[in-house]
Each structure stands twice: as structure tokens, then as C-alpha cells.
Amino acid sequence: MALEDLRLSMILTLAFIFGLTTLAFVFLLDVFGLASPLAALIIAVVFNVGQWLVSPFLVELFYHVRELPYSEAPHVHQALEEVVARSGLREKPKLMIAEVPYPNAFAYGSPLTGNRVAVTRGLLNTLSKEEIAGVLGHEVGHIVHRDVQIMTFVSVLPAFFYILGRMFLYSGGDRDRDRSGVIALGFLSLFIYFILSLANLHLSRIREYYADYHSVKTAPSPSVGAARLMSALAKIVSYTGRMKLQGAELRVAGFKELFIADPDRAVEDMESLEGYQLARRIAERRVTLADKILELFSTHPNIVERLRRLEELGRYEKL
């Protein structure tokens, strides 16, 4: 998928998400006579902006995030500074560490906190400096493309309609006719939740490809950028997969769309890499129909397809 196709797909997906959300808000509030269409639009905007502003604090609380001192990991700060310089950002994002054992990284932020990039303790213990630089290039790509704002903006919307649907289904009405109408609204809310969830997952996969491209583009050369990010992703998937097979409980239920790799799919992705010397020779594996169907319900692209595209990017002399 070319960069122009990725950008167009992202714009169309966002238009669909916000269009459907706005229509649903207006319809549901108008049905119950709770607000006029104009008031419904205002409520929708306030709701979205409010959850965007507070989401960084929830992320830091959930994953035990703190600022990473320069003295504790100077090589990580240096790698981030190099990536930021090549990305053309005016200000270096604040570097944070999440005290969780599995390797991963994520970018997040809001006007209240500024841009932040977090690496996990497991990442520092698993990857080399070059691989960490590849991961940081990916996360800075999310900041450059404003994915941080976009994904925190849309991530709560499906959950809202899920809660609304359950509330309608369990509350019912005083009369049979009222109850049937409320139940219908409940199922409609759950249907909207399902459609928004699929749209969000599609958007999340697009932004991962887009950020991968940025990591490769800002490396000393495309071949170096592709190689170090491929190696990093392979290690992240393999290490996390082994931890899960050994019975480790990974706290990944919330905000996993922010991660560079989906921890919930680590075992499946690890199995996809076995026999191919991790990232090398990955293009030889065929992506099956089952792989493509499973990808529809994942926050991240299929690991085989993702590494294959990185390998293709590495063949360019200049991006």
C-alpha cells in the first residue's frame, strides 16, 4: 500500500467514524427528547474533547508510567534525540518508562500533558540501541502524523455505545410497547458499537503502517531503518509470546491500540515467525484467508504482512 493510499484510507475511515458517531448521538438523544440536534452535536464534541484531555492520565495510571531520567538510560534519550532531529519536530517529546515486564512502546499526550513517548522496562531489557531507535522512530511517527490525538479521540467511542446498549437492554420500559422500543434502541447501539470497533481497528492498522514508514524514512538509510525495525518487532513479538506461553499475566486490556505491537496476539504472531529466523525471509510465508479475517479484529497489522512491507521499504535507496 503506497503512502498516498494509506493517507486516503485514514481520512476516509476517520470521516466514517465521526460521521456515524455524530448521527448516532443526534438520533438517540432526539428519540428520547433529551436534547435538540444542535445540543446533541455540542454534547458529542464535549464528550470527545473531554476524554481526549484526560486519557494521558489514565494511560499513566494503568501502566505505572513515570519520566525516564537521562542518567538511567542515556542511550535511549540519545536515540530519541536523533529521531526527533530527523523528523523535524520543534520539541523533543518527554521520554517516559512504563514499569511492565513485556517489551513494548507507545506515544500519547494531550494539550494538558504535551507529547510523550513511553518505553516499557521489558523493551529496555530486550532490544539493542539500534532496535530501540527503530521503535522510537515508529512512535515519533505517530506524533508527527498526529495519531496520538486521532486515536485517543476515537478510542472511547465504541465503549460508549456498548455501555449505552447494555443500559437500554437491561432497563426496558414501563409498557410492552415502550420496552420493545427501548430494546430495539439497545440492539441498535450495540450494532453501532460493533461497526465503530471494526472501523477503529482498521484505522489503528493503517496508522501502524504509516508509523513504520516514518521509522524507515528517518533512519540513516531505508535499508538500515527497515532492518532494525523488523528485528525489533520480531523480538517484541517473540519475547511477549514466550511470556504468555509461560503463564505470565500481561496487563494489556486498556489502551493496547497505543502499543507498537499487540500483546494479545503475541503467541499467534510468534508462531507465524517460527522457522523463518524471526524477521528474515519473512516474505516467503503466504498470508492466508484466515490470517486476513483475524486481522479485521486486531489493533495491529498481521505481523507477516507488516514485516514484508518493511522489507520492501528497505529496498528503496531513498524515501
Side-chain angles (χ1 to χ4, degrees):
M1 185 181 290
L3 182 61
E4 293 76 13
D5 296 332
L6 285 174
R7 187 180 292 113
L8 177 61
S9 183
M10 184 179 295
I11 292 172
L12 292 176
T13 304
L14 277 171
F16 173 79
I17 290 173
F18 286 115
L20 179 59
T21 301
T22 301
L23 286 175
F25 267 118
V26 172
F27 174 75
L28 291 172
L29 292 175
D30 188 54
V31 164
F32 283 92
L34 299 176
S36 66
L38 178 59
L41 286 172
I42 295 174
I43 292 173
V45 171
V46 171
F47 174 79
N48 282 318
V49 172
Q51 64 88 19
W52 172 39
L53 292 175
V54 303
S55 60
F57 302 104
L58 298 178
V59 169
E60 293 181 352
L61 178 65
F62 193 88
Y63 291 110
H64 304 293
V65 178
R66 62 176 174 83
E67 188 170 357
L68 180 63
Y70 191 96
S71 58
E72 187 174 333
H75 64 291
V76 182
H77 279 273
Q78 292 166 7
L80 180 58
E81 289 165 0
E82 292 173 5
V83 169
V84 168
R86 293 193 180 105
S87 301
L89 286 178
R90 295 180 180 179
E91 186 177 355
K92 172 187 171 185
K94 185 175 289 187
L95 186 58
M96 316 293 286
I97 182 167
E99 294 295 346
V100 292
Y102 52 89
N104 226 303
F106 51 93
Y108 64 106
S110 75
L112 297 180
T113 62
N115 292 321
R116 299 185 175 188
V117 172
V119 294
T120 67
R121 179 65 63 185
L123 188 92
L124 298 186
N125 295 336
T126 306
L127 303 189
S128 68
K129 179 181 178 180
E130 281 300 307
E131 291 163 343
I132 290 175
V135 169
L136 292 175
H138 173 100
E139 300 305 333
V140 170
H142 285 314
I143 294 173
V144 171
H145 303 145
R146 300 189 182 279
D147 291 336
V148 177
Q149 293 91 326
I150 291 169
M151 292 310 298
T152 53
F153 216 70
V154 303
S155 61
V156 174
L157 298 178
F160 173 80
F161 284 98
Y162 176 76
I163 294 170
L164 195 64
R166 287 180 61 88
M167 182 183 71
F168 285 144
L169 290 176
Y170 283 109
S171 65
D174 296 333
R175 296 174 297 180
D176 290 342
R177 187 169 63 179
D178 292 339
R179 180 168 176 77
S180 62
V182 171
I183 290 176
L185 287 173
F187 281 113
L188 175 62
S189 297
L190 291 179
F191 178 73
I192 294 171
Y193 153 75
F194 178 73
I195 297 300
L196 283 175
S197 296
L198 290 182
N200 278 7
L201 291 171
H202 179 66
L203 181 64
S204 181
R205 292 191 297 271
I206 293 173
R207 62 187 273 278
E208 294 303 323
Y209 283 128
Y210 211 16
D212 285 349
Y213 176 89
H214 183 84
S215 179
V216 174
K217 183 179 71 172
T218 55
S221 71
S223 59
V224 169
R228 70 187 187 183
L229 185 55
M230 288 175 69
S231 178
L233 288 171
K235 283 187 178 181
I236 289 171
V237 165
S238 297
Y239 190 88
T240 307
R242 287 197 299 271
M243 288 184 67
K244 294 191 73 172
L245 288 176
Q246 292 169 1
E249 294 186 7
L250 309 182
R251 301 175 69 235
V252 298
F255 304 102
K256 70 176 183 178
E257 68 276 1
L258 297 178
F259 289 162
I260 191 172
D262 184 354
D264 284 340
R265 282 189 50 85
V267 175
E268 293 85 349
D269 288 341
M270 181 184 69
E271 291 172 350
S272 297
L273 294 174
E274 286 180 356
Y276 295 93
Q277 298 179 357
L278 297 180
R280 301 186 65 181
R281 298 169 55 202
I282 199 63
E284 297 177 8
R285 185 185 184 278
R286 185 174 64 90
V287 178
T288 65
L289 177 61
D291 291 331
K292 293 180 180 179
I293 293 175
L294 288 174
E295 187 181 34
L296 292 175
F297 301 95
S298 175
T299 56
H300 290 66
N302 175 276
I303 191 65
V304 175
E305 185 67 25
R306 189 175 179 184
L307 294 180
R308 181 180 296 165
R309 294 190 186 196
L310 277 171
E311 189 176 55
E312 291 174 357
L313 285 176
R315 298 194 183 108
Y316 289 92
E317 294 184 3
K318 185 178 181 181
L319 292 177

